[in-house]
């Protein structure tokens, strides 16, 4: 990297020019606490250092994806605390998710600034509401309604409005949007019309349900999460003494992901601040993807207007992604329109060159899923950890076919959005067991003849279900094992960082991580929606289902809605560090009409496509035609009733789920026994050999030749080569391996 203008010709080795700056989103698992305030600044690049040292007045940080925004603001807080400029208890750092708040608390702790409060808007407001309620209102605070959907359902029933499950979820979302935009029930229809929002039901009906929902809450003395913000705002507005109390407590504010604040959250922030300007906001208008929840980038884009003397710092050095990935990301934004696009940041990759992104076209969705699973298998075989790979899609309903394909390919996976790691029952039980063993010390028979820390952890967790090999199959048993295995890996990492650490030290570390929600990684390919992938990153990312109607989604009709879909794809692209694949299918089911088109957002970017606007970004290579050995077939018909099948599971069985099965039960059991033996021999879960659905399909079809066996969904070329002879022998009533012995 060239020496920046104005830097000393021979900087000390710890500075960013000499490799001292670490990847913005990668840090050591157990780094040493910096010895001094100045040491906190070591390894920051010039722009990050400018953020960290701008401790006075309003500060606006425009931070592109992968540029180290969390690093910059945590070092800013830590530097201020360590230098004695900021008192830890006077700082409130606000984020949008508990995970992000936990990560920030963990980083601040590692930098020697553990007393700083890092919370979500809701968490901070709830804490204040609980504390001030007796003084401001009197009596006991209403109970917090954890899940509002049941009460919305009751409200709809009382209004004699029937809502199916999907409509109920959507109407609940509309009520949440109305409340964060400070819209009362009577004003909801007009607000929807003004915002060009596509309501899931007649706005007048939603207004009725909304009003009844609010009435039921009042009758039962309960409040929801949006009420927490509204009530806190109300108290701070009406009670100047309480507002002054809060302002004496918190004198410095940091707001992460500022492009996602809602009008209600901004109002609360204004009340926290009062007439002061000790505020630092961080955001990127190009990553505004939650407008459906009331989020708006206007507060970020108007920051310099509201605060004319603000210090503005732009972070554009991308430490996450290769130049090839960054080039594609910049190309996507280069075609964007609207106000957010006018403030886009042109990223500059700081990494070595990597492989070009691949563009793959498939005949149908099952072929796309199988092709994606095959490529993932190849990456894992080449040394890429499964936990560093993600498959991202537009809607959660797309996950099923990828779950099946990954299972068929023998690839472990995890669905994003599961229960928090440290709240899982098996993790809580493991923590209790480890704490007990640490207290017992040498008096615990489990630890006899076990010396090193990881071995002690393995011995204790073996009583809770951990084994050296993962259990066969998927589901709850496998999930439990993965959680315990993550704790074992954490112990191994911990002892590498602190060779003299004891079991008691590890228990203390786990307690601190639980408090911060700083969970270790469970190994497995991540399946997630693009929205839930925000804030995460992987070595390899597969963006799938990139067709018109899905990206942008069908109901994105206005220009701004379409632009938000473009930003959503941009977020997906910028999750990738090294490998990036973009794919689409021309039809939904095998043999279907190839009427789909790849997303317009790739026009002028993917090879062979026409530019969508005056500016284009080139791409290297050509569009691959995916599918491998898969041949184009006609419509898949149920072999019992003749109906066209579209469900992936039904297509595997070649019949409707409800149609009677003619499966050979004895053959199915023999196949299951054989699969179990194979799984043990290979040291893999049983589903990695064949899934239950595939075995059922084989037992129903009873194939007699390789061609017939290959025609069954879930039996790809690799599995045919590996297991085909055994399966055909079992179907013929022979013992597997007999044919080989005769030959």
């Amino acid at each position: 990297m060239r020496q920046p203008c104005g830097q000393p010709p021979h900087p000390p080795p710890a500075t960013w020019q000499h490799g001292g700056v670490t990847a913005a989103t990668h840090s050591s698992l157990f780094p040493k606490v910096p010895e001094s305030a100045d040491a906190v600044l070591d390894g920051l690049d010039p722009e990050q250092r400018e953020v960290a040292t701008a401790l006075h007045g309003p500060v606006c940080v425009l931070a592109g994806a992968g540029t180290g925004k969390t690093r910059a603001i945590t070092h800013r807080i830590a530097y201020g605390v360590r230098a004695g400029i900021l008192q830890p208890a006077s700082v409130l750092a606000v984020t949008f998710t508990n995970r992000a708040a936990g990560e920030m608390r963990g980083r601040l702790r590692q930098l020697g600034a553990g007393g700083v409060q890092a919370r979500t808007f809701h968490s901070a407001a709830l804490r204040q509401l609980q504390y001030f309620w007796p003084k401001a209102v009197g009596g006991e605070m209403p109970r917090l309604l954890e899940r509002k959907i049941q009460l919305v359902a009751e409200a709809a029933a009382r209004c004699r409005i029937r809502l199916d499950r999907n409509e109920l979820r959507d109407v609940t979302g509309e009520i949440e949007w109305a409340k964060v935009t400070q819209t009362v029930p009577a004003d909801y229809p007009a607000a929807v019309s003004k915002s060009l929002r596509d309501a899931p039901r007649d706005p007048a009906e939603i207004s009725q349900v909304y009003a009844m929902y609010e009435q039921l809450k009042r009758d039962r003395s309960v409040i929801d999460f949006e009420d927490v913000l509204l009530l806190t705002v109300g108290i701070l507005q009406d009670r100047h003494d309480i507002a002054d109390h809060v302002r004496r407590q918190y004198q410095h504010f940091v707001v992460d992901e500022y492009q996602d604040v809602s009008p209600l959250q901004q109002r609360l922030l204004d009340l926290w601040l009062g007439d002061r300007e000790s505020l630092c906001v961080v955001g990127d208008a190009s990553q505004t993807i939650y407008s459906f929840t009331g989020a708006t980038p206007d507060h970020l884009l108007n920051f310099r207007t509201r605060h004319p003397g603000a210090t503005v710092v732009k972070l554009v050095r991308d430490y996450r992604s290769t130049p090839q990935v960054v080039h594609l990301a910049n190309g996507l934004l280069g075609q964007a329109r609207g106000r957010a696009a006018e403030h886009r940041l042109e990223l500059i990759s700081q990494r070595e060159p990597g492989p070009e992104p691949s563009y793959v076209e498939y005949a149908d969705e099952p072929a796309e899923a199988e092709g994606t699973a095959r490529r993932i298998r190849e990456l894992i075989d080449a040394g890429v950890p499964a936990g560093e790979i993600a498959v991202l899609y537009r809607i959660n309903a797309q996950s099923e076919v990828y779950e099946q394909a990954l299972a068929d390919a023998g690839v472990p996976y995890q669905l994003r959005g599961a229960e928090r790691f440290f709240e899982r029952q098996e993790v809580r039980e493991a923590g209790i067991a480890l704490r007990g063993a640490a207290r017992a010390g040498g008096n615990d028979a489990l630890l006899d003849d076990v010396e090193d820390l990881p071995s002690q952890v393995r011995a204790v967790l073996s009583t809770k279900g951990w084994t050296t090999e993962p259990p066969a199959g998927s589901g709850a048993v496998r999930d439990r094992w993965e959680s315990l295995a993550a704790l074992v890996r954490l112990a191994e990492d911990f002892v590498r960082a602190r060779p003299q650490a004891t079991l008691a030290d590890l228990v203390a570390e786990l307690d601190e991580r639980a408090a911060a929600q700083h969970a270790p990684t469970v190994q497995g390919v991540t399946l997630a929606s693009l929205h839930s992938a925000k804030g995460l990153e992987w070595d390899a990312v597969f963006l799938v289902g990139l067709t018109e109607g899905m990206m942008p989604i069908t109901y994105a009709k206005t220009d701004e809605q379409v632009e938000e879909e473009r930003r959503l794809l941009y977020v997906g692209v910028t999750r990738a560090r090294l490998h990036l694949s973009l794919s689409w299918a021309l039809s939904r089911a095998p043999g279907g009409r190839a009427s789909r088109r790849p997303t317009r957002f790739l026009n002028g970017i993917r090879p062979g496509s026409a530019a969508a606007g005056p500016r284009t970004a080139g791409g290297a290579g050509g569009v691959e035609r995916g599918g491998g050995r898969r041949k184009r077939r006609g419509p898949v018909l149920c072999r019992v009733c003749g109906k066209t099948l579209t469900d992936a599971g039904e297509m595997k069985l070649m019949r409707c789920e409800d149609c009677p099965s003619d499966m050979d039960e004895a053959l199915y059991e023999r196949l299951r026994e054989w699969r179990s033996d194979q799984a043990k021999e290979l040291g893999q879960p049983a589903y990695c050999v064949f899934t239950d659905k595939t075995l059922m399909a084989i037992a129903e079809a009873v194939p007699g030749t390789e061609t017939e066996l290959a025609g069954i969904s879930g039996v790809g070329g690799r599995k045919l080569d590996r297991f085909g002879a055994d399966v055909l022998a079992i179907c013929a009533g022979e013992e597997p391996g007999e044919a080989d012995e005769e030959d």
Side-chain angles (χ1 to χ4, degrees):
M1 189 184 299
R2 291 181 298 179
Q3 180 176 306
C5 179
Q7 294 297 315
H10 298 290
T15 58
W16 71 281
Q17 296 97 327
H18 283 251
V21 61
T22 56
T25 45
H26 263 174
S27 61
S28 172
L29 194 58
F30 301 101
K32 292 182 180 179
V33 175
E35 295 178 357
S36 65
D38 287 341
V40 172
L41 302 178
D42 289 346
L44 299 182
D45 69 28
E47 294 79 23
Q48 292 171 346
R49 182 180 285 253
E50 188 178 351
V51 173
T53 55
L55 296 173
H56 301 287
V59 178
C60 179
V61 183
L62 301 175
T67 57
K69 68 178 178 63
T70 305
R71 178 187 179 87
I73 58 176
T74 51
H75 281 68
R76 177 184 186 270
I77 296 169
Y79 177 70
V81 169
R82 300 291 297 276
I85 300 171
L86 304 178
Q87 294 302 312
S90 73
V91 180
L92 178 60
V94 188
T95 68
F96 277 80
T97 66
N98 288 315
R99 183 189 64 80
E103 181 186 352
M104 188 174 289
R105 287 194 294 270
R107 291 197 190 196
L108 289 169
R109 179 165 58 91
Q110 292 164 356
L111 291 169
V116 173
Q117 292 292 314
R119 297 181 175 276
T120 65
F121 270 104
H122 284 89
S123 172
L126 179 60
R127 198 176 188 198
Q128 293 174 20
L129 192 63
Q130 290 170 331
Y131 183 81
F132 291 112
W133 186 273
K135 181 178 180 180
V137 182
E140 190 175 346
M141 194 182 98
R143 180 173 57 86
L144 185 62
L145 187 65
E146 297 270 342
R147 294 184 71 252
K148 61 172 67 71
I149 198 164
Q150 293 172 338
L151 202 60
V152 174
E154 184 178 341
R158 292 202 176 196
C159 295
R160 298 185 178 179
I161 296 172
R162 295 191 60 181
L163 301 175
D164 63 28
R165 187 171 61 180
N166 292 329
E167 287 176 324
L168 183 59
R169 183 192 62 208
D170 291 342
V171 169
T172 301
E174 285 300 292
I175 292 174
E176 291 173 352
W177 173 83
K179 298 185 75 166
V180 300
T181 55
Q182 303 173 80
T183 303
V184 297
D187 295 341
Y188 171 78
V192 167
S193 176
K194 182 179 179 181
S195 66
L196 302 177
R197 192 175 178 84
D198 192 8
R201 289 283 295 242
D202 179 356
E205 289 184 334
I206 295 178
S207 177
Q208 274 186 277
V209 175
Y210 180 13
M212 179 58 70
Y213 167 74
E214 292 297 311
Q215 181 62 51
L216 289 174
K217 285 200 290 115
R218 286 192 293 272
D219 293 345
R220 297 173 189 183
S221 295
V222 296
I223 58 174
D224 59 27
F225 279 103
E226 289 71 42
D227 291 328
V228 170
L229 299 183
L230 286 163
L231 289 168
T232 306
V233 164
I235 288 175
L236 294 178
Q237 283 180 162
D238 296 342
R239 293 290 300 267
H240 297 294
D241 57 330
I242 293 176
D244 289 340
H245 186 134
V246 172
R247 290 165 192 160
R248 284 194 301 272
Q249 170 69 49
Y250 295 118
Q251 298 168 22
H252 308 279
F253 295 86
V254 177
V255 184
D256 195 10
E257 304 287 3
Y258 192 57
Q259 76 278 353
D260 287 332
V261 296
S262 68
L264 179 57
Q265 289 165 333
Q266 180 62 48
R267 182 66 188 131
L268 178 59
L269 179 61
D270 289 339
L271 288 164
W272 282 340
L273 274 167
D275 57 2
R276 300 165 300 171
E277 290 200 315
S278 185
L279 170 66
C280 174
V281 301
V282 190
D284 178 9
S286 297
Q287 295 188 68
T288 305
I289 58 173
Y290 298 112
S291 68
F292 60 90
T293 67
T296 170
D298 289 347
H299 306 298
L300 176 66
L301 299 177
N302 294 336
F303 191 83
R304 280 170 287 187
T305 303
R306 296 184 65 189
H307 304 277
T311 299
V312 179
V313 184
K314 293 184 179 181
L315 302 183
V316 295
R317 301 176 197 265
D318 188 330
Y319 296 95
R320 176 189 298 160
S321 305
T322 61
Q324 286 77 8
V325 173
V326 168
H327 180 71
L328 172 52
N330 286 337
L332 276 174
L333 289 189
Q335 299 179 354
R337 299 291 178 267
R339 191 173 179 219
E342 293 170 4
H343 294 79
R344 62 177 172 263
L345 299 168
E346 189 88 7
L347 299 178
I348 305 170
S349 176
Q350 305 297 297
R351 293 193 55 172
E352 293 295 318
E356 291 288 345
S358 64
Y359 303 86
V360 193
E361 184 176 277
Y362 292 93
D364 51 67
E365 286 184 7
E368 185 178 10
E370 290 174 16
T372 300
R374 185 167 56 249
R375 286 166 170 252
I376 289 173
R377 178 81 263 173
E378 291 168 357
L379 283 176
I380 293 173
D381 292 343
V384 179
E388 289 294 349
I389 302 174
V391 178
L392 306 181
Y393 33 75
R394 178 61 181 83
I395 58 173
N396 287 319
Q398 292 171 273
S399 75
E400 183 182 3
V401 67
Y402 290 93
E403 292 181 58
Q404 185 69 54
L406 289 171
D408 287 344
V411 176
Y413 64 86
Q414 56 179 336
L415 283 168
R416 173 101 181 123
E419 188 179 20
R420 290 184 197 163
F421 183 86
F422 286 105
E423 292 178 359
R424 296 176 190 172
Q425 182 179 351
E426 64 269 20
V427 175
R428 291 200 303 267
E429 291 174 354
I432 293 170
L434 290 170
R435 192 173 295 108
R439 286 175 182 161
N443 297 322
D444 192 330
L446 269 175
L447 305 183
D448 288 346
D449 304 320
V450 179
E451 295 183 0
D452 64 285
L453 177 59
S455 297
Q456 292 175 345
V457 173
R458 293 187 198 102
V460 173
L461 297 189
S462 65
T463 66
K464 298 299 176 184
W466 181 83
T467 56
T468 54
E469 296 295 331
S474 57
V477 174
R478 177 61 183 243
D479 291 344
R480 180 183 179 88
W481 183 90
E482 289 286 3
S483 296
L484 298 178
L487 289 174
V488 171
R489 287 193 296 273
L490 181 65
E492 293 167 350
D493 290 335
F494 189 56
V495 81
R496 275 195 290 270
R498 295 175 54 184
Q500 305 305 317
T502 65
L503 189 57
D505 293 331
L506 177 64
V507 169
E509 176 67 24
L510 290 176
D511 287 342
E512 289 181 342
R513 282 170 167 255
Q517 285 300 325
H518 185 190
T521 302
V522 176
Q523 285 300 315
V525 172
T526 299
L527 296 178
S529 70
L530 286 162
H531 281 102
S532 65
K534 178 77 167 62
L536 304 176
E537 59 185 86
W538 297 269
D539 283 345
V541 170
F542 290 79
L543 301 175
V544 299
L546 301 181
T547 59
E548 286 289 312
M550 192 61 74
M551 176 59 65
I553 199 76
T554 306
Y555 50 76
K557 294 183 173 64
T558 68
D559 289 344
E560 180 47 43
Q561 288 169 341
V562 170
E563 286 304 316
E564 181 153 335
E565 293 288 299
R566 188 194 306 275
R567 294 194 295 269
L568 187 57
L569 181 56
Y570 171 79
V571 166
V573 167
T574 54
R575 301 309 95 195
R577 299 191 194 110
L578 181 62
H579 304 280
L580 177 63
S581 172
L582 303 95
S583 65
W584 58 90
L586 297 177
S587 68
R588 181 186 177 198
R593 183 183 172 195
S595 57
R596 290 178 169 178
R597 291 180 293 120
T599 173
R600 71 190 76 168
F601 299 145
L602 296 180
N603 289 346
I605 297 176
R606 65 181 176 86
S609 62
R615 177 176 174 175
T616 65
V623 176
E624 301 174 35
R625 308 296 172 183
R629 301 187 188 192
R630 191 181 187 90
K631 294 183 179 178
R632 189 168 176 78
R633 301 192 295 260
V636 179
L637 304 179
C638 173
R639 53 192 170 75
V640 180
C641 69
K643 175 186 171 185
T644 300
L645 303 177
T646 56
D647 178 77
E650 292 181 342
M651 286 192 286
K652 186 179 284 289
L653 294 175
M654 298 291 289
R655 64 173 173 81
C656 301
E657 196 77 49
D658 298 333
C659 284
S661 168
D662 55 357
M663 182 176 71
D664 184 330
E665 296 283 353
L667 173 57
Y668 178 63
E669 289 305 319
R670 288 198 302 274
L671 287 168
R672 282 174 57 87
E673 290 174 10
W674 165 83
R675 181 183 67 172
S676 178
D677 293 340
Q678 289 292 317
K680 289 177 183 175
E681 187 177 319
L682 296 170
Q684 293 182 339
Y687 71 79
C688 292
V689 180
F690 285 118
T691 63
D692 287 345
K693 278 271 175 66
T694 300
L695 291 188
M696 290 174 66
I698 293 171
E700 290 185 354
V702 194
T705 66
E706 277 197 4
T707 302
E708 292 174 354
L709 180 58
I712 295 174
S713 180
V715 183
R718 187 176 65 85
K719 292 192 177 183
L720 184 65
D721 295 338
R722 192 170 193 177
F723 305 123
D726 279 4
V727 172
L728 289 173
I730 295 171
C731 289
E734 303 168 356
E735 287 298 318
E738 281 185 4
D740 293 339
E741 291 168 9
E742 290 173 6
D743 291 342

